[in-house]
Amino acid sequence: MASNALHAEDDGLICPDVGGWAEDKYRLLALYDELFSTGMKHKWDQRVYIDLYSGAGYSRIRGTKTVLKGSPIIALAVTDPFDKYIFCEEGPELMAALKARVERVAPRAHATFVLGNCDTAINEICAAIPKGSSNNKVLSLCVVDPFDFGIKFETLRRLSAVFVDFVVLLAIGMDANRNYANYVEGHSTKIDETLGNTQWRERWKAEGIRRSDFRPFLATEFSMSMA
Ligand SMILES: C[S@@+](CC[C@H](N)C(=O)[O-])C[C@H]1O[C@@H](n2cnc3c(N)ncnc32)[C@H](O)[C@@H]1O
């Protein structure tokens, strides 16, 4: 996707700051949304887009005037729009801005907004997915883009009761480095909850590898959990 297609005009609504790297993330996400929504159009009766950590719809590259479209707005702009959109966001002000932007850029989109924590609101999110059947095949794309390695694997497991493809941003870097002692030697259960198991601790000890290998180790563990 051309970089200007990812840019937006400042509309005066709340616009959280992001790092410049976010533009690469959005370019990849836009490409995947496009491939998925068009590629699956004739294979499934309904395609559903689920964003667990939606944000405000727009963000601004820190220290600049450049406004970027966020994951929800990018998903609304695909060539073959999804049949349904489900947006979850826990910040009330961010959610209000997102709703205003969605109504402005895609007034006809079939969208459900879930205000709250995606882990505690998972029943509401699942209930918003159209029921599939043999003559109404439903496929979802779930985008998971948290600030840190704070996903709860149980939430993804719940969603995987239906046909769903996940795009997950593993925000491992800073989190795992800063909190290594707490996660590995302390009492934090955060990684257990993200990976959906506690056996990773044994595997990490058994590997006897360097602390600098913790990030790739977690990425591999997460892939194993997803498999
Ligand atoms: C990295 S931002 C996501 C940005 C968004 N995907 C985009 O492209 O602009 C993470 C967002 O998730 C929200 N959030 C954090 N924890 C959450 C949770 N457990 N459930 C729902 N939203 C959450 C934050 O308020 C923030 O807006």
Side-chain angles (χ1 to χ4, degrees):
M1 188 183 235
S3 113
N4 55 4
L6 297 172
H7 291 188
E9 294 291 320
D10 188 348
D11 58 5
L13 298 172
I14 189 169
C15 207
D17 277 353
V18 290
W21 51 264
E23 201 160 346
D24 286 337
K25 172 178 85 174
Y26 292 136
R27 188 170 300 110
L28 291 169
L29 205 46
L31 177 63
Y32 195 77
D33 286 354
E34 191 68 29
L35 289 172
F36 183 97
S37 57
T38 296
M40 296 298 116
K41 188 171 76 154
H42 297 299
K43 295 188 163 58
W44 298 78
D45 299 299
Q46 291 191 71
R47 291 150 303 129
V48 180
Y49 176 87
I50 306 167
D51 207 323
L52 294 185
Y53 298 78
S54 294
Y58 286 2
S59 54
R60 187 188 320 275
I61 298 184
R62 195 170 292 111
T64 74
K65 291 194 171 153
T66 305
V67 174
L68 299 175
K69 295 173 188 168
S71 51
I73 304 297
I74 290 171
L76 288 161
V78 291
T79 308
D80 296 299
F82 289 80
D83 300 288
K84 167 133 202 208
Y85 292 83
I86 302 169
F87 299 119
C88 180
E89 166 58 47
E90 70 173 5
E93 214 190 333
L94 300 173
M95 181 55 113
L98 175 64
K99 269 188 188 168
R101 285 170 173 141
V102 169
E103 278 156 22
R104 191 181 66 232
V105 305
R108 283 199 277 216
H110 182 195
T112 295
F113 298 89
V114 177
L115 173 62
N117 178 308
C118 62
D119 305 304
T120 50
I122 188 62
N123 287 342
E124 199 183 333
I125 295 167
C126 289
I129 302 171
K131 294 274 165 292
S133 67
S134 54
N135 49 14
N136 179 34
K137 291 191 293 154
V138 179
L139 177 65
S140 298
L141 172 62
C142 179
V143 171
V144 188
D145 179 20
F147 283 130
D148 63 7
F149 203 46
I151 307 160
K152 300 228 184 314
F153 193 76
E154 192 49 36
T155 301
L156 307 188
R157 198 198 303 275
R158 286 286 315 282
L159 274 167
S160 67
V162 296
F163 290 108
V164 60
D165 194 3
F166 289 99
V167 174
V168 183
L169 183 107
L170 292 179
I172 299 173
M174 262 196 299
D175 195 11
N177 275 345
R178 278 196 195 144
N179 299 305
Y180 177 85
N182 193 23
Y183 292 157
V184 175
E185 289 131 23
H187 297 294
S188 171
T189 56
K190 187 167 172 178
I191 305 273
D192 307 350
E193 289 170 6
T194 301
L195 299 176
N197 71 74
T198 53
Q199 293 85 342
W200 68 271
R201 292 174 184 276
E202 300 310 314
R203 287 194 284 270
W204 175 244
K205 272 191 214 141
E207 297 249 341
I209 49 182
R210 292 162 305 166
R211 178 180 162 156
S212 59
D213 293 325
F214 193 46
R215 282 197 279 175
F217 170 81
L218 289 180
T220 304
E221 284 284 325
F222 186 78
S223 298
M224 281 163 49
S225 293
M226 290 302 279

